[in-house]
Amino acid sequence: MNIKKYVAGTVQEALQMVKRDMGSEAVILETRTIQGARGAAQKAGRKFEVTAAIDYDPERGAVSGPFGADLQAVLERTRGLEAEMREIKDALLSAEAGHLLGPGCRFNGILRNRYLNLRRFGLMPEMIGSLMEDGQPEPERRGDSAAQILQDSLYRVLGRIPTEEGGDGRQRRIVAFVGPTGVGKTTTLAKLAALNAFKQGRKAALITTDTFRVAAASQLEAYARIMGIPVETTAGRSDLLKALHKHKEADFILIDTAGSSPNRRESIQEIKKMLEIPERIHRYLVLSATTRYQDLLHIDRQFGTLAFSSYIFTKLDETEDPSSMINFLVSRQKPVSYFSTGQQVPDDIEPASKKRVASLLLAKMRRGAEKTKNGVSIYGSGESTERRSPKPQGRSFESGTAE
């Protein structure tokens, strides 16, 4: 501990000297008056002495405290603790991999690193099992760099997520948007209507069957008025058939349906009956990327009776962790058609692509590495149908992408 005394004409001056010399972290130990000659006439000669102390001695560059070492030693100790934490996390993941794939994977660097990559992508252990070939260790192969293993890991995930765009623009196409409330069906419909009408030059028409939600029809009418596209409001199957006949010259018709709770089967059945018409309708199940994995599975099961053809995921801009969406898409057989990334019409929507999914996976891995560097919990936010598993952490991987 460094202790010094400062003498000045006033206490304030002495304190300023302390702060200037020792900094704001100094501790005042004592303040006393130093009296000059006796008598009131000598009052002007009175001085004040301030005794201050600080743990850090700027002249020796050392600290006094529980470590009893210099700053460099403390930093080295901290780095050592971080390295030990990473080793513990990797050991937990290796144990998890051994439990899922067999103990032999601990001695197979390719298989182990592939598993770690998949976990760092946010995939759940039970999802990884179906991606790791037959789960048996592979022989070590020379030339398999970390970047090549990462690329292979990406391909395995991307191979399980089919994508599908909007179909042939030369043929008449009718699409319907179904799904739970609050996922952004109407805004998504408006975005696709604008893209097809303005960028592809297709003759479009809008139909809303949502007569339950307050101002639902007026919201779609406002979009249609801005875009110069006709819109019809229908209250049942017969009205829908009339609206389709009225716009038989249109080559792209978009139908907005009422949102329904997945637990209200009667509402879903009403939508199903209304959409049973002679013409083929491509049904999009619209889901939010912020929805939990188990809830996505529940919604998929309940709306499965509508025989939808593909998914649209909205609100990618509102979530930092797309793991639930990725795990869901890996577990399903149907393709994803579009990703919505905001509220702007028509800009914030894009066709789903392998490249976009790969960027989401790599971004998830980088965020995990950054959180590890900052010392977060060894358990991540990825969900599991059985238990919470250790979240993969480690160094950031900046190279090696699959497109």
Side-chain angles (χ1 to χ4, degrees):
M1 179 175 289
N2 183 31
I3 302 175
K4 287 187 178 182
K5 295 182 180 182
Y6 299 85
V7 178
T10 65
V11 174
Q12 288 74 16
E13 290 177 2
L15 293 175
Q16 289 176 0
M17 293 170 64
V18 172
K19 185 175 182 181
R20 184 168 55 250
D21 188 27
M22 306 183 79
S24 58
E25 300 298 324
V27 177
I28 305 302
L29 300 179
E30 182 183 16
T31 301
R32 70 189 186 93
T33 303
I34 302 176
Q35 192 66 47
R38 295 183 179 180
Q42 302 299 326
K43 193 172 183 179
R46 186 174 59 179
K47 300 289 186 179
F48 294 90
E49 182 186 81
V50 174
T51 303
I54 189 171
D55 286 341
Y56 175 69
D57 185 344
E59 294 180 359
R60 294 189 298 112
V63 294
S64 63
F67 295 107
D70 60 18
L71 289 176
Q72 185 63 32
V74 174
L75 292 176
E76 291 178 357
R77 180 177 175 83
T78 302
R79 284 193 290 268
L81 291 173
E82 291 176 351
E84 290 177 8
M85 180 63 73
R86 286 193 295 270
E87 290 177 2
I88 292 172
K89 294 173 183 177
D90 286 342
L92 289 171
L93 285 173
S94 296
E96 178 185 272
H99 176 72
L100 182 66
L101 305 177
C105 76
R106 299 184 184 183
F107 307 100
N108 186 309
I110 296 174
L111 192 63
R112 184 176 63 253
N113 288 337
R114 183 184 299 148
Y115 182 88
L116 294 177
N117 286 333
L118 294 174
R119 285 295 279 129
R120 287 163 182 157
F121 290 157
L123 291 173
M124 298 181 295
E126 54 266 35
M127 207 66 63
I128 294 175
S130 62
L131 294 174
M132 298 285 289
E133 296 187 344
D134 59 354
Q136 297 299 318
E138 297 178 354
E140 291 281 359
R141 297 193 305 271
R142 293 183 180 180
D144 281 309
S145 65
Q148 291 170 327
I149 297 173
L150 175 60
Q151 190 175 60
D152 175 75
S153 304
L154 280 172
Y155 285 148
R156 288 173 183 271
V157 180
L158 299 179
R160 292 286 295 272
I161 302 180
T163 59
E164 177 185 77
E165 294 190 20
D168 189 353
R170 295 170 297 179
Q171 298 179 350
R172 174 178 167 89
R173 182 173 172 84
I174 303 174
V175 299
F177 300 78
V178 301
T181 57
V183 296
K185 292 189 298 298
T186 302
T187 304
T188 302
L189 179 150
K191 293 174 184 177
L192 290 182
L195 286 175
N196 281 270
F198 299 146
K199 294 189 176 181
Q200 299 182 16
R202 304 177 73 179
K203 186 177 180 181
L206 310 182
I207 299 175
T208 177
T209 66
D210 188 357
T211 57
F212 303 98
R213 187 164 56 93
V214 176
S218 57
Q219 180 186 5
L220 193 60
E221 288 171 0
Y223 283 130
R225 184 169 57 255
I226 294 171
M227 295 184 290
I229 298 175
V231 59
E232 304 289 337
T233 301
T234 62
R237 183 173 178 274
S238 60
D239 286 350
L240 177 61
L241 290 171
K242 292 177 182 178
L244 291 172
H245 180 74
K246 179 179 178 180
H247 297 284
K248 61 183 178 181
E249 300 299 325
D251 51 18
F252 190 54
I253 297 179
L254 303 94
I255 303 173
D256 189 20
T257 65
S260 171
S261 165
N263 298 321
R264 295 190 60 186
R265 296 185 179 181
E266 63 279 6
S267 298
I268 297 175
Q269 287 300 317
E270 289 176 5
I271 297 173
K272 178 182 178 182
K273 292 179 181 178
M274 181 180 57
L275 295 179
E276 289 176 344
I277 61 174
E279 291 191 79
R280 183 179 181 275
I281 299 179
H282 183 103
R283 299 169 175 86
Y284 293 115
L285 178 60
V286 185
L287 300 168
S288 169
T290 63
T291 306
R292 296 188 314 122
Y293 172 71
Q294 292 295 338
D295 291 335
L296 288 173
L297 292 179
H298 178 60
I299 294 169
D300 182 75
R301 285 193 298 267
Q302 297 299 89
F303 281 87
T305 184
L306 298 180
F308 57 87
S309 302
S310 61
Y311 303 105
I312 294 177
F313 268 92
T314 65
K315 304 185 181 182
L316 264 70
D317 58 312
E318 297 182 19
T319 181
E320 183 184 11
D321 187 355
S323 299
S324 293
M325 180 185 74
I326 297 297
N327 280 284
F328 173 79
L329 290 174
V330 168
S331 70
R332 302 295 92 187
Q333 299 298 320
K334 290 185 173 65
V336 55
S337 295
Y338 293 95
F339 292 131
S340 176
T341 57
Q343 295 296 315
Q344 295 297 320
V345 177
D347 298 327
D348 293 339
I349 194 168
E350 61 188 69
S353 66
K354 304 285 188 180
K355 183 176 181 179
R356 176 61 162 163
V357 176
S359 70
L360 292 171
L361 294 172
L362 292 173
K364 165 68 177 175
M365 174 180 278
R366 292 190 186 100
R367 283 194 297 269
E370 290 169 0
K371 289 180 179 179
T372 300
K373 184 177 180 181
N374 294 331
V376 297
S377 169
I378 61 175
Y379 291 98
S381 59
E383 294 181 70
S384 170
T385 56
E386 297 178 359
R387 59 184 175 86
R388 290 182 63 85
S389 302
K391 183 179 180 180
Q393 306 290 355
R395 68 182 187 279
S396 176
F397 200 105
E398 298 296 338
S399 63
T401 60
E403 295 183 6

